[in-house]
Amino acid sequence: MSRDAIRSVKLSSITLPLEVPISDAKVFTGRQRPMTEVVFLFAEITTEQGFEGIGFTYSKRAGGPAQYRHAQEVADGLIGEDPNDIARLLVKLQWAGASVGRSGLATQALAAIDVALYDLKAKRAGLPLAKLLGAHRDSVRTYNTSGGFLNASLEEVQERASQSVAEGIGGIKVKVGLPDGAEDVRRVAGVRETIGDDMPLMVDANQQWDRSTALRMGRRLEEFDLTWIEEPLDAYDVEGHARLTRTLDTPIATGEMLASVAEHERLIAGDACDIIQPDAPRVGGITQFLRLMTFADQKGLDLAPHFAMEIHLHLAACYPREPWVEHFDWLNPLFEQRLETRDGRMLIPERPGLGITLSEQARQWTTESVTLGTR
């Protein structure tokens, strides 16, 4: 095949409304308001030979417009470039916006482009992205989070947990971190009773405990045989997480809020978790995520990527150790396709690339859009 070149890059800001305002522990501790929407930055890249790739990043509560503006400022550097040179193109865009750093919002803006380039490359090869990268498995264990938020009553959480298990989900995660620890224990006990002793159960405190509270709550929750306790402490408290990892029998999971490879390296080097939870859109895309997987595997860590199952399913399938992928049905309205779950696992789609296309509804939710280059 002759050398191809990028012809155009379309950037779109799409606001996904949530049916019900969502609350985790950060709302109940007064640090955030309930979440009512998620803002996505989509990148659609087209080549001279007619290949197309799609990628996305996202922001919850704030930052979406800034991600869009940053991507708009630097993305024209892709026009005329060979789309196969993903690592080189990522570095080029990083330098185009170097004055605002290589983490946080600027990194997240580039993630949509990086993911789109990988999607395009897999489509050129006629392969699902997992197969292009080199999969260890054709399906990944999956657990559900979207039914376990604190705005829902225990009875609602129990009902949704039962429904998820019936739909082929392999584990249930519920939110904790309420000011009243006894209520956390009551909710966890109720869900454990509903799903039985053999179903994996996880809890997520969303960074709302201090060190002493996390230790006490971790010990109180050990009777429920949890698969992990997620984000018990502030995301940047490496030492505190390391102490919990050494002290508690229950595995500690964290990492979703970190916004660069360097931040994850510090977490990994500090032996601060048993299960690492990177988020490809937050760390800069698939190029960066693959680097993290290498570090995590060298340390013997388990992997459970955060959110964005449409991307993370493919990446988790490539991890040498048996991983988890987080099932969220929030994003379903954005795409024409659905990911299939069966016997506790999410199946790698046979469609090329990520295997997703934007829905007409997503197009209608677009608030801003720009095309760089020509079509």
Side-chain angles (χ1 to χ4, degrees):
M1 182 178 294
S2 61
R3 180 185 181 278
D4 202 355
I6 296 173
R7 182 181 180 187
S8 66
V9 180
K10 181 178 180 180
L11 303 172
S12 301
S13 181
I14 297 177
T15 300
L16 170 70
L18 301 180
E19 291 185 4
V20 177
I22 299 299
S23 297
D24 58 27
K26 297 187 293 293
V27 174
F28 288 86
T29 56
R31 290 176 171 172
Q32 289 184 342
R33 297 178 180 178
M35 184 165 56
T36 59
E37 62 187 28
V38 183
V39 178
F40 290 83
L41 167 63
F42 277 88
E44 296 170 86
I45 298 175
T46 303
T47 74
E48 296 288 354
Q49 295 181 4
F51 292 96
E52 296 183 354
I54 186 170
F56 66 88
T57 190
Y58 69 93
S59 178
K60 298 176 180 178
R61 293 186 174 87
Q67 289 178 351
Y68 175 80
R69 295 299 178 201
H70 185 78
Q72 184 180 2
E73 284 191 280
V74 301
D76 61 352
L78 297 174
I79 305 304
E81 290 280 12
D82 186 336
N84 293 298
D85 299 341
I86 300 175
R88 180 179 63 81
L89 294 179
L90 179 61
V91 171
K92 180 179 181 179
L93 297 187
Q94 286 174 338
W95 278 108
S99 66
V100 291
R102 298 184 186 178
S103 66
L105 187 148
T107 293
Q108 293 160 15
L110 299 186
I113 294 168
D114 184 84
V115 172
L117 288 170
Y118 271 96
D119 180 58
L120 189 155
K121 194 167 190 174
K123 286 175 178 174
R124 284 173 61 99
L127 294 171
L129 179 60
K131 296 296 184 180
L132 177 78
L133 296 175
H136 284 268
R137 56 194 65 83
D138 293 327
S139 65
V140 179
R141 292 182 298 180
T142 186
Y143 69 97
N144 180 266
T145 295
S146 50
F149 279 81
L150 293 172
N151 54 282
S153 68
L154 174 57
E155 292 70 25
E156 290 174 311
V157 173
Q158 290 172 309
E159 180 180 350
R160 293 173 186 172
S162 296
Q163 180 182 354
S164 293
V165 173
E167 292 173 349
I169 299 296
I172 300 296
K173 188 172 80 178
V174 297
K175 299 291 186 174
V176 294
L178 290 165
D180 181 2
E183 179 62 13
D184 279 337
V185 174
R186 185 182 79 87
R187 289 171 69 93
V188 173
V191 174
R192 172 53 83 196
E193 181 180 3
T194 296
I195 64 176
D197 293 337
D198 295 332
M199 175 64 62
L201 176 62
M202 306 83 164
V203 302
D204 183 359
N206 287 110
Q207 308 178 76
Q208 296 310 291
W209 290 331
D210 58 27
R211 291 184 179 184
S212 59
T213 302
L215 183 57
R216 287 198 303 270
M217 289 300 298
R219 286 173 171 160
R220 291 179 71 179
L221 293 170
E222 283 186 340
E223 66 175 287
F224 301 111
D225 191 25
L226 299 175
T227 302
W228 70 67
I229 298 173
E230 184 170 330
E231 285 197 317
L233 302 170
D234 183 273
Y236 292 93
D237 186 0
V238 173
E239 182 180 343
H241 278 103
R243 289 181 182 179
L244 289 177
T245 299
R246 291 193 301 267
T247 304
L248 296 177
D249 291 336
T250 304
I252 298 299
T254 191
E256 70 177 64
M257 294 303 297
L258 304 183
S260 69
V261 173
E263 292 167 5
H264 278 275
E265 285 178 328
R266 182 168 175 260
L267 187 74
I268 294 169
D271 296 320
C273 63
D274 303 287
I275 302 159
I276 195 152
Q277 298 183 296
D279 183 317
R282 284 183 174 162
V283 301
I286 293 171
T287 299
Q288 305 288 43
F289 193 98
L290 295 176
R291 291 177 59 198
L292 283 176
M293 288 207 308
T294 299
F295 297 147
D297 182 43
Q298 288 173 344
K299 272 286 192 174
L301 299 180
D302 288 329
L303 177 75
H306 169 254
F307 201 56
M309 63 186 184
E310 294 79 6
I311 299 171
H312 290 136
L313 171 60
H314 293 271
L315 302 181
C318 300
Y319 195 60
R321 304 167 193 277
E322 185 70 45
W324 287 91
V325 68
E326 187 170 25
H327 185 280
F328 263 95
D329 52 17
W330 294 358
L331 276 60
N332 282 350
L334 294 175
F335 306 115
E336 294 289 349
Q337 301 81 10
R338 297 290 177 270
L339 293 173
E340 183 181 354
T341 57
R342 185 189 308 158
D343 299 328
R345 303 179 73 85
M346 189 179 294
L347 279 58
I348 304 296
E350 296 182 356
R351 300 179 295 273
L354 294 173
I356 57 175
T357 54
L358 280 176
S359 66
E360 182 58 34
Q361 177 64 79
R363 302 290 184 187
Q364 294 175 9
W365 284 333
T366 300
T367 58
E368 291 188 85
S369 184
V370 63
T371 299
L372 307 172
T374 59
R375 283 195 174 272

